[in-house]
């Protein structure tokens, strides 16, 4: 098992989200047993969506943890908000909100929200390798 943790400290910064995607790519590139390009793109997309949601709705900072298991890559994002993500009707009239969480749920094997005793939550999504 191979694990990496990245702190994403800047609220709603596109640079922070891009850095999280870059960190995910670096993590995947460093795996002893590489994954297919399409699976890697899916991991990076889920990282982008979960980090974006955490920065937008979770208190402005988050931590990204990536773990490589024999048959999956787990993406976990920790933030300070106790509020779980929710399904919303996507804004089809020029807006950009409401698409990410449904997409993550379709791409992941499952999703889980774990509330932390110290406050906040972890949103995790295992993805097929």
């Amino acid at each position: 098992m191979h694990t990496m943790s990245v702190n994403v400290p800047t609220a709603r910064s596109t640079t922070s989200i891009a850095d999280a995607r870059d960190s995910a790519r670096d993590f995947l590139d460093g795996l002893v047993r590489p994954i297919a390009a399409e699976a890697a793109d899916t991991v990076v997309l889920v990282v982008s969506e979960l980090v974006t949601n955490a920065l937008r709705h979770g208190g402005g900072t988050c931590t990204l943890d990536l773990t490589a298991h024999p048959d999956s890559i787990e993406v976990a994002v920790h933030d300070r908000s106790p509020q779980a993500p929710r399904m919303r009707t996507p804004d089809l009239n020029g807006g950009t909100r409401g698409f990410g969480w449904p997409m993550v749920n379709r791409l992941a094997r499952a999703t889980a929200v774990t509330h932390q005793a110290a406050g906040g939550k972890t949103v995790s999504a295992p993805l097929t390798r």
Side-chain angles (χ1 to χ4, degrees):
M1 188 166 60
H2 185 74
T3 302
M4 178 189 85
S5 182
V6 178
N7 286 319
V8 184
T10 307
R12 298 185 192 188
S13 166
T14 55
T15 302
S16 293
I17 297 163
D19 288 347
R21 287 192 299 262
D22 290 344
S23 294
R25 285 187 193 98
D26 291 344
F27 172 80
L28 296 170
D29 288 344
L31 293 175
V32 172
R33 199 176 114 230
I35 67 173
E38 184 175 330
D41 290 344
T42 299
V43 170
V44 172
L45 178 59
V46 169
V47 163
S48 184
E49 290 299 327
L50 291 182
V51 167
T52 297
N53 285 349
L55 293 177
R56 181 175 286 150
H57 305 292
T61 63
C62 66
T63 301
L64 165 66
D65 290 327
L66 299 169
T67 304
H69 299 281
D71 65 342
S72 66
I73 303 293
E74 182 179 358
V75 178
V77 177
H78 317 278
D79 66 48
R80 297 185 303 216
S81 172
Q83 192 70 25
R86 62 183 175 89
M87 294 291 189
R88 298 185 304 156
T89 302
D91 180 358
L92 301 175
N93 297 315
T96 60
R97 297 192 177 192
F99 293 93
W101 185 238
M103 181 176 51
V104 168
N105 278 273
R106 281 192 291 283
L107 293 171
R109 290 180 174 179
T111 55
V113 179
T114 307
H115 294 279
Q116 304 301 318
K121 68 180 173 301
T122 299
V123 178
S124 58
L127 303 159
T128 301
R129 248 186 113 118

